[in-house]
Amino acid sequence: MWDEIGESYNEIDNILEEIEQECLDVYDRKIAETIKYKAELQGSLAQADDEIVSLMSSLGEQVTYSRKEEDTLKQQISTVKPVLDELRMKKGLRWKQISEILTRITDISSNIAGNDDHGSNNGPEDFDESDLTETKLDQLRARLQDLCKEKDVRLQKVNSYISAIHDLSEAMAFDFSEALSHVHKSLTDSSMADTKSISDDTLAGLAELTESLKNEKLQKLLRVQDLGRTLQDLWNRMETPMDERRRFENISSLLSVQPDDALPKGCLGHDIFPEAEDEVKRLKKSSKMEELVLKRRCELEEVCREGHMDVNSDAARQSLVDLIDSGSGDLLHILASIDSQIEKAKEEALTRKEILDKVDKWKHAKKEEKWLDDYEKDENRFTAARGGHTHLKHAEEARNLISKIPAMIDGLTTKVKAWEHERGVRFLYDKHLLLEMLEEDSDLRAKKDEEKRQLRKQKRLQRSLAPDKEAEDGSKSAKKNPLGQS
């Protein structure tokens, strides 16, 4: 073709040199590409080896595979690639497992911590992937299991508090949902049933709310029971018919209820108090109540009279009548006060009974003594017409009883002093100090005994002087009549 074209030999040589140079350039480029490809294969192989080592370390597994140095690079890569793919697959599966567990741990931890924004906790993206071993997976599972148990315990507590608050709301008739919403909105939001707050703050809020409501329930129950007992007391005292009592059966039925017992729905609502309180006020101001107060006052006076205790009957009764007439006194309170006074008076009367029995015997002996004095002054006491035999027997018994009076006084004095020492008050008998009465009687008796001794002494002296006087009188008679003539 060059000949036909007519190229010169020089031109042809130049063209051949260019062709030769171009062939050399292609050859050099192919050599460079091959060298680069070889280097890439060597790099891939080294990188694969490093990744295998890293994956085995991360997964905590040892993998064996045979790679001969005399094999070509492609043969070596074909030997390594399945091993690397399998390790990568295992890492993917392991990471998926760990990621799911970490997500659940994050959610539960956030719920327990009370963080509504779960992003504030460390999630899977913050996890160090250099440790994906089975040991680490087991640790995370154990941690998740512990958190799940804690969550269950907390959820049980939350549900228990909610149940208790619901029961309290039923009894006291208040808005259950509104009360819970003040603690945490998730407790009443049905859309948040799976993420119900179980944080420390929520549990503390529920505990505080439950305790507050229980105290309120207790105070209301005590108030209702107090009203019920007051009504029962008033009804019983005034003998109110059962038909009238049935109107307040809802209150009467709560009298024996304990604070921890289940209560009927709405039994402690605010609307049950006004009507019962109005009924109590009406009964307290009734004329029948006034009669009861005065009657019980009379009973108090009678107990005091029987026990010879001090009671200012006239003044106290007039003061009570004035208080009733003024309408300013709480008659039930006054009645309870009088009942208390009656009980105390009866108790004191029991402590005084032994002494009073001895006082009665002492007074009886004193009456017998007076009878005996009057009897001995009666010159006709021995006549049959005056019942002499009977009176003689009576007189003998009286003398025997009177002889015991000093011992009675001594015994009474000892008893009274012991009674006064034990109670720190003086023993009054019909407004008089009993010890003074005994001392006065003892002194009077000693004085009378002394007078009797003096009288007996005088009589003995008179009897001793009587013979001398008779002898003297006889001597004088003989001088007047020496012959003994009469």
Side-chain angles (χ1 to χ4, degrees), residues 4 18 50 70 87 99 162 188 192 274 302 337 353 386 410 466:
E4 290 176 358
E18 288 177 2
D50 291 340
E70 61 270 18
L87 288 173
S99 179
I162 291 175
T188 56
M192 302 178 68
E302 181 61 26
S337 176
K353 187 177 185 305
R386 299 294 297 271
D410 290 342

Side-chain angles (χ1 to χ4, degrees), residues 207-350:
E208 183 179 356
L209 176 60
T210 303
E211 189 64 24
S212 174
L213 291 173
K214 283 183 177 179
N215 288 333
E216 183 181 351
K217 171 193 171 184
L218 176 61
Q219 295 305 317
K220 286 188 172 183
L221 180 60
L222 292 176
R223 183 181 171 191
V224 166
Q225 289 179 335
D226 184 56
L227 279 171
R229 282 189 289 270
T230 301
L231 285 171
Q232 290 278 11
D233 188 20
L234 289 167
W235 289 335
N236 293 337
R237 291 177 184 276
M238 301 170 70
E239 299 179 352
T240 303
M242 291 303 299
D243 291 342
E244 294 184 25
R245 302 187 186 194
R246 288 194 184 95
R247 195 157 55 98
F248 298 95
E249 279 184 342
N250 58 331
I251 291 180
S252 300
S253 63
L254 298 176
L255 288 178
S256 59
V257 170
Q258 298 300 315
D260 294 332
D261 292 346
L263 299 179
K265 185 175 181 179
C267 67
L268 296 180
H270 293 290
D271 57 341
I272 72 167
F273 295 100
E275 187 178 4
E277 289 172 343
D278 290 343
E279 179 66 7
V280 169
K281 291 177 182 178
R282 184 187 72 80
L283 292 174
K284 283 182 178 181
K285 293 184 179 296
S286 67
S287 58
K288 203 166 186 179
M289 178 59 71
E290 296 175 1
E291 294 174 5
L292 282 172
V293 169
L294 293 174
K295 179 181 178 182
R296 291 296 281 171
R297 175 63 197 182
C298 292
E299 291 178 15
L300 172 61
E301 294 171 3
E302 181 61 26
V303 171
C304 291
R305 274 194 297 271
E306 290 179 356
H308 299 276
M309 293 180 285
D310 185 21
V311 55
N312 192 357
S313 303
D314 296 335
R317 191 184 299 110
Q318 185 57 48
S319 175
L320 185 59
V321 170
D322 293 341
L323 186 62
I324 292 173
D325 292 341
S326 68
S328 60
D330 185 338
L331 296 185
L332 187 60
H333 178 72
I334 294 172
L335 191 60
S337 176
I338 294 174
D339 288 342
S340 177
Q341 293 177 55
I342 290 174
E343 289 302 315
K344 290 180 180 178
K346 288 181 177 179
E347 289 174 5
E348 184 173 351
L350 285 176

Side-chain angles (χ1 to χ4, degrees), residues 103 144 161 200 206 272 340 342 368 371 375 379 384 407 409 424 464:
T103 299
L144 177 60
Y161 282 130
D200 289 340
L206 287 171
I272 72 167
S340 177
I342 290 174
E368 290 294 286
W371 176 87
Y375 172 74
E379 296 179 355
I409 293 175
S464 66

